[in-house]
Amino acid sequence: MKNKKYLKYVLLSLTISIGMSSCSDFLDEVNYSSQSADKYYQTKSGYESLIVGCYSNLKNIYNNTNFQIFTQQGTDVFTQNYPTEITPMNQYTTTYQSSNGTVYSMWSSYYNALKNVNAAIDRSENVILRTDDPDGMEPNTLAQRVAEAKALRAWYLLEIIRNWGKAPLEIHEAKEPSYTVEYADGAAFYKQIFEDLEAAIAVLPYRQTGSNYGRMSKAAAKHIRALAYLTRGYEDYADSKDFENAFKDAEDVYLNSGHKLLDDYAMVHRQSNEMNDEIVFAIGFADAANYNTNIWNQWFMMPYSIGGWLGLGKDSYYGNASAHVKAIPAKYAYLMYDWQKDRRPSVTYMSPLNGDKNTSVDGKDAGKNWFQCTTPVDGVFAKGDKIIYFPVPTDPEYKVWSASDKDKVRYKVFNFPAGDASDMSDDDYYKYAYQTTNSTSRTFLPIWKFKDGNTEFKEDESGSGTRDIYLFRLAETCLIAAEAAVMNNDNDNAIKYINYVASRAAKNAPVAGLTGYSGTVTLDDILDERAKELLGEGSRWNDLQRTRKLAERVLKYNWDVSNIHGGTIKTTLTEESFKNKFILRPIPLQWLNSLSNGSELGNNPGW
């Protein structure tokens, strides 16, 4: 573990100074690449440190609770933990405005990342080449580093344009602050994205292995390009071949990259197997000081330690749970699986599989479908006793507990959701006030596939995880191919690629017989399969936005959107408001106010 990633130990102080700049006042912060050290960045070691800084920005963006809110709230498979609160980005209320802090944070993070990659690309022209100078770089190495930076830049640009629709197109290192900017439209952004990816694909190796694992590769760049073609394909300015090209790139990665779908979904998420053939690109963490900061392991876990549960104290057995969980699974996220015939729910959630250290994702037994006593209470609970029990369909003792059944045991029982996936009113998971000191927090079966065997409880909730974050994996590449085929009226390939994922889900399931796809594959089929395969990974919000299915599916499955404070407050989300407003994020008001021409630039429609 300690030497698994090339970027984990190189010039830590430079990584911090270059890659972890403040998100505030970003127009003023022009010295992200330490311009006073021009000479240093011309050397091999200096330029390599600049590239490491580019990669460190990935952690700033994706290992951040703002990313969880930005990508999961307000969707069909995630909702909010606190039903008594107004949660603007989940419920689309009038309180969701252009001054939203999460939107501003994400905007700033992407542009801070762009500053670093732009500096790396622009400064490459002055790097000393290796002749007789020991400080020089080999030309081939330099070309690869520039290609990596261009692939990263293309990804950041895609993130910006798919969320905001228009924005400043920053492709050069800022030498001085500027308070007057111009928007570029989607067509200009995609032109730059495809230019950067074409340049990267021409240079990068198909896979990065050994000490280079964790760097951008040709497979990762083609995955990005497939998603970019797919996303642009839905726009008014799309090219007629966008869906065809998206399919070609995704299929090429599947057939020729050397990446493979693993036979067992459990092995994809097994911490001891995280460097596996399915992972196209990952953000690396390690167990050395300053690098064990992954916080994903606490995002989708019930806040057990602050809930007032007798016998459940703060303990490293469960590690940290976010005290203010931002997104929890909606009812549909539990019911969309056939738990007996699909391997994925047992891997994804607390379950008997995750309660056995020989099969669990984290190599521990803490993921069983009940919380055990960590703080003994004399005469009530001994250490290890059940405190909270979640019967799940794969539990040999599974049943629906009646009120009288529950009264016979000391521990609390929360029945598995049942009935209409759009109605959460009577389900145990979505009630609250079970706890004595945290009566507004819901109790729910946690997502476990991101849990980390190396975590410890920290009072300040700082990260202690060492697991990699999977940014792209081949299962998603297959689903990109399937979606592109659907949109290109190529049903044969849509069936083939969606079934690559669905057929893997059937392997090692408790019961055989999971039905694959046949007939005509639809966008809803794609979205269902993406939800089951990639729950909590990537951006669910962008999946629904891209396919224009957000309002339809959110209003159908996210009960908290349609039942704000018992229906006394109305959501502003409708099919019409989605098309005219919520299809894009608001341009952050804080950023506009920092410009001399902010009022002239204006905001996105509806904001």
Side-chain angles (χ1 to χ4, degrees), residues 13-47:
S13 62
L14 285 166
T15 300
I16 293 173
S17 66
I18 296 170
M20 298 188 178
S21 304
S22 168
C23 291
S24 61
D25 302 324
F26 80 97
L27 284 171
D28 288 326
E29 295 171 348
V30 297
N31 196 34
Y32 292 99
S33 48
S34 298
Q35 294 172 23
S36 61
D38 283 348
K39 298 280 187 189
Y40 178 68
Y41 291 118
Q42 294 173 11
T43 67
K44 176 182 177 180
S45 58
Y47 192 73

Side-chain angles (χ1 to χ4, degrees), residues 272 418 509 549:
S272 60
K549 289 278 190 176

Side-chain angles (χ1 to χ4, degrees), residues 210-228:
S211 62
N212 286 320
Y213 181 86
R215 293 184 183 271
M216 273 286 171
S217 64
K218 182 179 295 188
K222 285 203 167 190
H223 178 104
I224 295 169
R225 192 167 71 177
L227 182 58

Side-chain angles (χ1 to χ4, degrees), residues 151-289:
L152 286 169
R153 181 166 70 182
W155 175 242
Y156 297 140
L157 292 176
L158 178 59
E159 289 276 58
I160 291 168
I161 201 58
R162 68 175 177 167
N163 281 290
W164 285 280
K166 62 183 179 183
L169 182 54
E170 302 282 353
I171 58 170
H172 292 292
E173 180 182 10
K175 298 293 187 180
E176 57 186 22
S178 174
Y179 297 97
T180 303
V181 300
E182 295 181 359
Y183 288 141
D185 62 12
F189 263 80
Y190 279 104
K191 182 177 183 292
Q192 184 64 48
I193 288 166
F194 293 130
E195 285 179 2
D196 280 344
L197 291 172
E198 183 178 0
I201 288 166
V203 173
L204 293 173
Y206 231 134
R207 288 186 67 175
Q208 297 280 17
T209 59
S211 62
N212 286 320
Y213 181 86
R215 293 184 183 271
M216 273 286 171
S217 64
K218 182 179 295 188
K222 285 203 167 190
H223 178 104
I224 295 169
R225 192 167 71 177
L227 182 58
Y229 280 131
L230 182 68
T231 305
R232 189 177 71 171
Y234 289 90
E235 301 295 341
D236 293 340
Y237 52 85
D239 186 277
S240 61
K241 291 188 176 295
D242 275 343
F243 294 127
E244 178 183 340
N245 288 332
F247 177 80
K248 286 180 179 178
D249 269 339
E251 182 173 57
D252 186 67
V253 174
Y254 181 80
L255 294 176
N256 299 314
S257 67
H259 291 286
K260 305 292 182 185
L261 291 178
L262 301 192
D263 286 337
D264 187 347
Y265 185 77
M267 293 305 296
V268 177
H269 295 284
R270 187 75 53 80
Q271 186 171 4
S272 60
N273 191 49
E274 61 184 349
M275 290 176 60
N276 63 68
D277 285 340
E278 189 166 326
I279 309 309
V280 177
F281 182 70
I283 303 171
F285 292 79
D287 54 357

Side-chain angles (χ1 to χ4, degrees), residues 227 230-231 234 243 246-247 250 476-490 493-495 497-498 521-523 526-527 530 542-548:
L227 182 58
L230 182 68
T231 305
Y234 289 90
F243 294 127
F247 177 80
E476 186 191 12
T477 315
C478 290
L479 293 172
I480 290 172
E483 184 180 334
V486 167
M487 298 304 294
N488 203 37
N489 298 312
D490 180 3
N493 276 315
I495 290 175
Y497 276 90
I498 196 172
V521 178
T522 66
L523 277 182
I526 300 294
L527 289 170
R530 286 187 71 95
N542 285 120
D543 292 343
L544 300 180
Q545 171 222 31
R546 177 182 68 250
T547 56
R548 308 318 196 234

